[in-house]
Amino acid sequence: MKAPNVGKWGKHQHMVQDEFLREHLPRTRLFSPEALWEYAADYKRVMLKPSGGGGGAGIIQLTDLGDDRYLIHSGKHRRTVEGKERAVEYAKSLFRPKTYLLQPRIPLGRINGKPFDVRVMIQRKGKHSPWVITGWVAKLAGPGFVVTNVARSRGKVLPLGTAIKKSNIAANPNLLGEIRQVSMAVAKRLGTAYPTLREIGLDMGIDIHGKPWIIEANFRPSLSLFQQLQDQTFYRRILAMRKR
């Protein structure tokens, strides 16, 4: 059975209704110039994300440099623009689909200056079966990128425990337990909203204080990240669940 085709905005609207998940969701709004400048004033760094698509495509970071100057970062390309009107015009020229979302930039944990996030695989056999976490892996961005998508940024994957130990994240002995708790809460909420859903590739960021944040719930996740790990235990477990 095909996974439901739902954009980031639709998924966010379901998750934000959950009081627990709300604490782990970045403040999210639909793009408008007025909302962009409100976010820039509040956060200085703003992420502009397409509601549809995936793989890190189309993501833009806008940084308020002060004196009416803005740094716009897309892929490996950076451009400084003067004036709000010109900044909006340039940012919109980079838009892929029409619907974009705004979020504050999460201060992701870094390894040797490069940001990383986490992919958690959550699966179930059928709509009445319990959700199970079948694997997780860290995705480290390549040089010069703000997105952690491995293929797009030419980054690499790491075992999650290794990434946390090598990173600048503040010590949090309960971190893995919190990642599990958030992941299961996401699966239960979205599984109720979309009963045919059988698996979620959940992207989560961990900020420098050791708090997990929900970045995106992918309903058609690729297994390529887990194939790249030297230890194939997660990959075999995920594949076995898919075949049931």
Side-chain angles (χ1 to χ4, degrees):
M1 190 173 291
K2 280 191 175 182
N5 186 11
V6 185
K8 296 180 182 71
W9 181 238
K11 297 168 191 173
H12 176 82
Q13 287 179 304
H14 285 293
M15 290 188 289
V16 79
Q17 295 175 33
D18 185 288
E19 187 176 351
F20 170 72
L21 292 180
R22 202 177 302 138
E23 295 299 313
H24 296 274
L25 284 163
R27 180 183 167 208
T28 304
R29 286 176 62 179
L30 288 170
F31 169 84
S32 71
E34 296 77 17
L36 173 62
W37 301 124
E38 180 186 323
Y39 270 50
D42 289 345
Y43 305 111
K44 300 301 180 186
R45 289 186 177 183
V46 186
M47 304 305 295
L48 294 83
K49 299 181 177 182
S51 181
I59 294 178
I60 303 162
Q61 177 178 284
L62 180 142
T63 304
D64 186 347
L65 301 175
D67 298 323
D68 208 23
R69 295 168 65 249
Y70 306 95
L71 175 64
I72 298 174
H73 190 169
S74 176
K76 287 194 75 170
H77 303 289
R78 301 167 183 248
R79 179 172 170 179
T80 300
V81 180
E82 292 191 15
K84 287 183 168 64
E85 190 172 327
R86 289 183 63 191
V88 168
E89 183 180 330
Y90 177 60
K92 289 177 74 173
S93 75
L94 301 173
F95 284 10
R96 294 296 174 259
K98 294 181 180 179
T99 304
Y100 260 68
L101 309 180
L102 298 174
Q103 292 180 339
R105 170 69 174 168
I106 300 168
L108 292 176
R110 292 175 177 262
I111 300 171
N112 298 325
K114 301 170 189 173
F116 79 95
D117 65 14
V118 181
R119 165 64 58 87
V120 183
M121 278 294 295
I122 321 153
Q123 297 173 286
R124 63 179 175 179
K125 298 175 189 177
K127 64 181 180 179
H128 299 300
S129 302
W131 288 98
V132 180
I133 294 173
T134 49
W136 51 25
V137 64
K139 300 178 291 169
L140 182 64
F145 280 80
V146 295
V147 297
T148 54
N149 178 268
V150 170
R152 186 166 298 277
S153 73
R154 296 183 181 177
K156 64 179 182 179
V157 301
L158 293 168
L160 179 55
T162 301
I164 292 171
K165 287 177 183 176
K166 289 185 173 182
S167 75
N168 64 341
I169 292 170
N172 175 2
N174 300 318
L175 180 55
L176 295 182
E178 290 177 16
I179 291 172
R180 284 184 176 278
Q181 187 179 12
V182 173
S183 299
M184 293 300 291
V186 167
K188 288 174 183 176
R189 169 62 63 167
L190 294 180
T192 300
Y194 307 106
T196 62
L197 189 62
R198 284 192 55 190
E199 63 181 25
I200 301 169
L202 182 63
D203 288 332
M204 299 181 68
I206 306 169
D207 69 24
I208 56 175
H209 306 293
K211 177 178 178 176
W213 292 90
I214 299 163
I215 295 176
E216 181 181 356
N218 303 278
F219 286 178
R220 300 175 185 178
S222 166
L223 299 191
S224 61
L225 295 170
F226 295 94
Q227 284 178 291
Q228 295 174 52
L229 287 172
Q230 186 174 357
D231 184 341
Q232 292 287 285
T233 302
F234 287 154
Y235 176 67
R236 290 193 292 267
R237 187 183 300 167
I238 294 164
L239 205 59
M241 183 69 85
R242 277 189 171 182
K243 291 177 179 177
R244 290 179 183 178

